[in-house]
Amino acid sequence: MNYYIKYPSKGFTLLEILIGLALLSVLLLTLYGSFFTVLRGQSAIDDELEMTRAVTRFMDTFSREIHEAFFKTNNPKTSFIGERVEITGKAADRLTLTTIIYPTFREGRPSSDLLSIRYSVEEGPDKRLALYKEAWNPYTGEGGIKAEVMEGIEGFEISYFNGKDWAKVWDASLEKSLPKAVRVR
């Protein structure tokens, strides 16, 4: 006796379902790993971009302050002193200068268009170096603020050009002038 099935079975066998689930699992694990690899890459790019922005902001500000540096030999309130300092074998130079800024007006108080600024590097508790900026009024000593400019730097090295050679330190009171150029690394 021959039996014919009029309608063939439309389901899957258990083996076919297990093979399909295994392939789907491998595909999802691959996509999952790729997704988080892309996210880590994007995070690293964002960190680098933020550091680039911080360096650009610093260089713009620093360049403007150097161009507006002010020193008079007969005025002890003005200065331009570049010192060579090292922290754990890395360049961590310090620069103190007087620069011309737009004056701020306060009610009933005279204001000055001079500002003393110090750039210095400090080592944090995590042993990473950070660049700091301090600013104050050179005549009154008021308005002293200190703020972190950049963190996680490798070093801060400044060189000064006297018109002939590059120097690692500069004291305008000894040189009787400002440097012709300043280089930051």
Side-chain angles (χ1 to χ4, degrees):
M1 210 182 217
N2 291 336
Y3 292 101
Y4 294 102
I5 300 176
K6 205 174 199 182
Y7 300 105
S9 170
K10 293 186 179 186
F12 295 104
T13 65
L14 180 60
L15 183 61
E16 291 172 332
I17 291 174
L18 289 176
I19 291 172
L21 283 174
L23 291 173
L24 183 62
S25 298
V26 169
L27 178 66
L28 288 177
L29 284 173
T30 303
L31 288 175
Y32 181 81
S34 298
F35 177 72
F36 284 103
T37 300
V38 168
L39 283 182
R40 280 191 301 274
Q42 182 180 1
S43 177
I45 289 170
D46 288 345
D47 292 345
E48 286 293 322
L49 185 59
E50 184 54 40
M51 181 57 100
T52 301
R53 285 184 189 136
V55 169
T56 302
R57 283 190 302 266
F58 162 72
M59 290 304 292
D60 286 345
T61 302
F62 186 78
S63 176
R64 187 172 46 253
E65 291 165 352
I66 292 294
H67 283 284
E68 298 297 328
F70 180 77
F71 175 76
K72 285 234 181 209
T73 55
N74 58 354
N75 185 345
K77 300 293 185 180
T78 63
S79 65
F80 191 100
I81 302 169
E83 304 167 89
R84 179 55 43 119
V85 181
E86 284 189 16
I87 298 178
T88 62
K90 296 178 181 175
D93 292 356
R94 182 177 25 241
L95 174 63
T96 305
L97 68 131
T98 308
T99 188
I100 298 173
I101 61 162
Y102 293 109
T104 57
F105 297 102
R106 294 195 178 138
E107 217 172 288
R109 297 171 71 185
S111 64
S112 171
D113 58 351
L114 290 181
L115 183 67
S116 288
I117 296 172
R118 177 177 297 123
Y119 286 98
S120 61
V121 176
E122 294 179 15
E123 187 177 51
D126 59 354
K127 303 292 184 200
R128 293 177 50 173
L129 298 179
L131 179 64
Y132 286 88
K133 177 181 178 178
E134 298 174 70
W136 65 93
N137 182 317
Y139 292 105
T140 64
E142 291 179 354
I145 60 165
K146 183 176 182 178
E148 185 178 275
V149 177
M150 282 186 289
E151 65 180 351
I153 63 173
E154 293 179 16
F156 183 60
E157 187 176 324
I158 308 173
S159 302
Y160 310 94
F161 188 64
N162 63 11
K164 200 173 176 184
D165 299 312
W166 287 95
K168 295 182 179 183
V169 295
W170 191 275
D171 188 344
S173 62
L174 298 175
E175 300 288 337
K176 305 293 186 215
S177 71
L178 293 170
K180 305 278 185 225
V182 176
R183 178 173 56 192
V184 177
R185 189 174 75 85

